[in-house]
Amino acid sequence: MNLTLVRNATLRLHIAGQTVLIDPMLGGQHTLPSFAGIEANPTAPLPMTPGAVLDGVTLLVVSHLHPDHLDPAAIAALPKDLPLLCQPGDEAALLGHGFQDVTALHGTATVGGLSFTRTAGEHGSGEILTQMGAAMGFVLRAPGEPTLYWAGDTVLIPAVRETIAREEPAVIVTHSGGAALGGTLLIMDAAQTVDVLRAAPDATVVAVHLESLDHCLTSRNALREAAQEAGVAARLLVPQDGETLPLN
């Protein structure tokens, strides 16, 4: 298994002979509106061409329809005949964009030998959670590969801890940029990511969704420093945009 962080939540995951593209945001720097009134998004450039991002992809996963997880550039560039997994309720919109092979992940589905099990999350809290809507995570298994838990756009809630305890993943991918609106966290920040590391003492945590949107307040360095202070930095990976990590 290896994982390439493209930018933000956009990942290329090579596992068991498949290449999975997760939450593609393929537009150039400043091609989306500001979320916090600071700077147009994304705040970081795409570190490779869209063609390189798409090269060899066999499966798409779109966790939800926010533009930092599926933007107009990705909709235009993605091959519409690739199998695509999404959360229930997003099928009609994706079919409307021209995707032809859309499957809603209700529980567990197997695609190309990869087993995906949908997991719960909360993309914020209180009134903000209602505004943000649903977003899924998943646990991914394949023969001979480490079990991976991709938490997605969620804050640290009991359901995340329960997934970690039940599934005992070897790799956990967290969205750790501390995105906030109106003072309400939308995804994990440094403190919550450290708590994930403590909850999963045998897992490697890969933190992404950092330094690419104007409402993400947690930097890579701040996250590394928090993990170092907590004594868990040895199990934390914080890739740069375009970096590939071996996860065997």
Side-chain angles (χ1 to χ4, degrees):
M1 181 194 298
N2 66 62
L3 179 153
T4 300
L5 170 63
V6 178
R7 177 186 57 188
N8 196 52
T10 306
L11 307 178
R12 283 173 52 95
L13 182 65
H14 187 73
I15 176 172
Q18 304 287 331
T19 300
V20 184
L21 179 62
I22 302 170
D23 281 359
M25 178 177 64
L26 302 183
Q29 190 175 18
H30 298 156
T31 53
L32 294 174
S34 168
F35 297 152
I38 298 171
E39 181 181 352
N41 289 304
T43 59
L46 196 67
M48 58 190 79
T49 66
V53 176
L54 297 173
D55 184 39
V57 169
T58 56
L59 173 65
L60 305 173
V61 177
V62 175
S63 66
H64 62 302
L65 300 179
H66 288 170
D68 60 313
H69 296 261
L70 181 70
D71 68 345
I75 293 168
L78 290 166
K80 300 304 185 290
D81 58 348
L82 282 174
L84 187 156
L85 286 179
C86 67
Q87 66 177 349
D90 288 349
E91 307 98 310
L94 292 163
L95 290 167
H97 288 313
F99 295 100
Q100 301 160 19
D101 187 1
V102 177
T103 300
L105 186 59
H106 289 275
T108 298
T110 300
V111 183
L114 307 180
S115 175
F116 292 83
T117 300
R118 184 164 63 97
T119 60
E122 292 183 3
H123 197 355
S125 59
E127 293 183 5
I128 291 291
L129 176 59
T130 302
Q131 295 174 26
M132 297 303 290
M136 73 172 184
F138 58 81
V139 172
L140 174 58
R141 293 184 179 83
E145 297 281 9
T147 297
L148 180 142
Y149 171 33
W150 186 89
D153 267 10
T154 185
V155 292
L156 181 56
I157 58 172
V160 172
R161 295 183 182 274
E162 290 162 8
T163 298
I164 292 169
R166 181 181 66 251
E167 306 293 344
E168 298 182 338
V171 179
I172 302 172
V173 179
T174 58
H175 290 181
S176 299
L181 290 176
T184 298
L185 272 179
L186 307 179
I187 59 175
M188 297 183 202
D189 59 5
Q192 291 192 359
T193 306
V194 166
D195 282 346
V196 168
L197 283 151
R198 288 173 171 147
D202 297 320
T204 296
V205 172
V206 181
V208 300
H209 205 310
L210 293 137
E211 297 182 354
S212 50
L213 301 172
D214 75 330
H215 68 330
C216 284
L217 307 178
T218 299
S219 69
R220 288 178 168 95
N221 282 341
L223 177 56
R224 291 188 185 103
E225 289 171 4
Q228 188 69 41
E229 291 174 4
V232 294
R235 294 185 293 106
L236 174 67
L237 300 176
V238 190
Q240 298 295 318
D241 293 349
E243 184 177 356
T244 297
L245 304 175
L247 296 173
N248 292 318

